[in-house]
Amino acid sequence: MRIDSFAFTALAALAVAGCSHPAQTATATPAGAASTARIATPWDGDLKALARAKSVQNVIDRQAARQRQQIDAESH
């Protein structure tokens, strides 16, 4: 019984140690320079599509506003 609890504890410790990330080492960047590199994400394509859709909607809204102004100018 005591061996089982020891084995379980040892296996649990090994599992936790195996899943942990190693300590990160310092990079070779100068002390004052901040990294501006952007990491790609799985959502980049969606964000790009969303930005394009917003841009298209803005163009449509501007065209609709111009058309409304023309209709108002003709009706008065």
Side-chain angles (χ1 to χ4, degrees):
M1 182 87 166
R2 182 164 172 103
I3 294 175
D4 290 337
S5 64
F6 176 76
F8 177 76
T9 304
L11 286 176
L14 287 174
V16 170
C19 293
S20 65
H21 297 287
Q24 293 182 355
T25 58
T27 58
T29 58
S35 176
T36 58
R38 189 173 174 285
I39 298 173
T41 65
W43 300 278
D44 284 346
D46 293 338
L47 293 174
K48 186 176 179 181
L50 180 62
R52 181 175 169 92
K54 285 181 179 181
S55 175
V56 169
Q57 187 63 48
N58 287 338
V59 169
I60 292 171
D61 290 343
R62 278 186 262 135
Q63 288 175 348
R66 268 191 254 128
Q67 189 175 17
R68 275 193 299 272
Q69 288 174 351
Q70 287 176 351
I71 291 171
D72 288 343
E74 291 173 4
S75 64
H76 288 111

